Amino acid sequence: MKVFVTGVTGFLGSHVAETLLRAGHEVVALARHPATIDADLRGWLPPGREEIGPRSGLEGRGSDPSPLAPARVVSRRDPSIEPVTESPDDREAKGGPILRGVLSPGATDHAMRPASVAPESASCRAAAAGPSAVPTSDPSAAGAAGLSGVASDTVHRKVSGEEPAAFDSVVPIPGRLRVVQGSLSDDTVLREAIAEADAAVHVAGMIQARSEAEYMRTNRDGTESVLRAAESRAGPLHRFVLISSQAAGGPSRDGRPVRGEDPPRPVSSYGRSKLAGERGALARASDIPVTILRPPVIFGARDRMLPGLFRAVARGTSVVWGAGSNAFNVVHAPDVARAALLALKTDHPTGSILYTADERAFTWRSFIETLARAAGVKVRILRVPPLVFGTVALASTAISFLTRGTPFLALDKLSELREPAWLCSSKEARERLDWAPATSVEDALAVARAWYQQRGLI
């Protein structure tokens, strides 16, 4: 199957693309800045170069003023490839996994590749499934194996005491990944890219913005653009998977985990924009098979903010909102990617809204303590009054208007922070997709920490 994927240069989008590739599928990936594609994915690019732009000749449209700009060719081993500092498509990388996640559950498109990272060898592309990293014939399990082999080996040795299982049988096949340069506003690029695909996974999104209008432009209007492109195809799309957010459904009701069938109750501009994108997809569910995934806090390798938390606990001190008792769920990024793969290969009703979470409830305190255990250190947790967070958010939002940048912590996010519980149920995902997290949170954090250590980030 050939799958169109948005947000491939981001945190979760890179995991989705790699999972699909390792499961034997081809990927046509939309990227505003193709040069920032993660090193782990470059082995899948066409030999010797990266082709940018649809095959029609409208290469590079949207990033070059010429409508017929020539394709930009980048060597996939070019050491000069470095990430851009920021673009509208990766602004949501700000905020850290706790701030980003608890404030905006299900945050998706985070660019994470420092310029110092060089492409890895095939032997360093093994699974990051912790103790589940064993040879398998199941393509969905193999697809979930897309992280650094060194990280996986570290966890596997620690947990099982055995030599790590080899996933070198799932080595990158050059040419399986084609990157199309463009954005969610490039209608022509979207139409031509999705026309050659059999299915679509829409990951790109924005979680930190200065106003609700900015959120809507990406999370509602951008989703609408991809849906219009899907409708314009000559033939039917196998399935459209929208990776949304727990924020679209809203916080827990009286402490009860939220389910897909519950009426949505978003409490922030971000949540309302994600819900608006969902509604656009559901409006077409009778014509296009649609699945909506609502992950909670997502963590894992390539997340640009998780190293900061590891460094904080390594220094022995971390901070929490108030008493640190707000409850939430988390999920490992490869597990969300595997849910997207299962949504493409498993027969289930169109219009399904599925939460994908490790259902163990964490609080801010317990999650930071779990991080500290993964790092093998003790941490002192400092309570920060909500008023301080409010002051930071106010200042951050005000500065963003002056600089026309993205706030580190948007004022809008305080409405999410105030909620006592962000818990959700993955019952429907288990029943309809046979999905469950592949590894424990502790093992997944160990995988992520080893990945960052290997790259000198912590």
Side-chain angles (χ1 to χ4, degrees), residues 393-447:
L394 180 62
S396 175
T397 302
I399 291 171
S400 73
F401 276 102
L402 294 174
T403 62
R404 300 184 62 81
T406 302
F408 170 77
L409 174 59
L411 192 60
D412 170 69
K413 298 300 180 183
L414 297 180
S415 56
E416 294 177 354
L417 264 174
R418 295 188 185 102
E419 293 294 332
W422 286 89
L423 302 174
C424 55
S425 170
S426 300
K427 181 175 183 291
E428 288 84 0
R430 292 195 303 269
E431 293 175 347
R432 299 182 188 183
L433 303 183
D434 194 24
W435 176 89
T439 188
S440 70
V441 172
E442 287 81 1
D443 289 343
L445 284 171
V447 168

Side-chain angles (χ1 to χ4, degrees), residues 88-89 91 184-185 202 205-206 209-225 273 276 404:
D89 285 347
R91 284 179 181 171
L184 297 179
S185 61
H202 180 37
M206 179 176 286
R210 292 170 294 182
S211 65
E212 186 156 340
E214 281 193 351
Y215 285 118
M216 289 292 181
R217 274 197 294 273
T218 297
N219 298 336
R220 179 194 63 194
D221 302 343
T223 301
E224 186 70 18
S225 295
S273 70
R404 300 184 62 81

Side-chain angles (χ1 to χ4, degrees), residues 112 114 303-315 371 374-375 445-458:
M112 172 65 218
D303 181 352
R304 110 173 13 173
M305 291 299 172
L306 189 54
L309 271 186
F310 275 120
R311 287 193 294 268
V313 298
R315 289 191 297 266
L371 277 170
L445 284 171
V447 168
R449 182 171 181 269
W451 190 91
Y452 292 121
Q453 284 182 317
Q454 181 190 2
R455 287 154 178 78
L457 297 172
I458 58 174

Side-chain angles (χ1 to χ4, degrees), residues 261-280:
E261 63 192 26
D262 292 331
R265 188 173 61 91
V267 296
S268 64
S269 295
Y270 170 69
R272 289 188 289 273
S273 70
K274 297 299 282 188
L275 179 61
E278 289 185 5
R279 285 173 170 164

Side-chain angles (χ1 to χ4, degrees), residues 376-397:
V377 300
K378 293 184 178 180
V379 63
R380 183 165 64 104
I381 298 175
L382 303 179
R383 298 184 179 187
V384 175
L387 179 61
V388 174
F389 279 88
T391 302
V392 171
L394 180 62
S396 175
T397 302

Side-chain angles (χ1 to χ4, degrees), residues 148-162:
S148 159
V150 173
S152 176
D153 292 355
T154 301
V155 174
H156 187 89
R157 290 172 191 266
K158 180 178 178 181
V159 174
S160 69
E162 302 171 355

Side-chain angles (χ1 to χ4, degrees), residues 52-72 180-182 186-189 191-192:
I52 309 302
R55 294 170 183 164
S56 68
L58 298 178
E59 293 92 346
R61 189 162 188 164
S63 59
D64 189 296
S66 169
L68 295 175
R72 177 183 174 203
V180 177
Q181 187 171 14
D186 296 331
D187 291 340
T188 300
V189 170
R191 284 196 303 271
E192 298 194 17

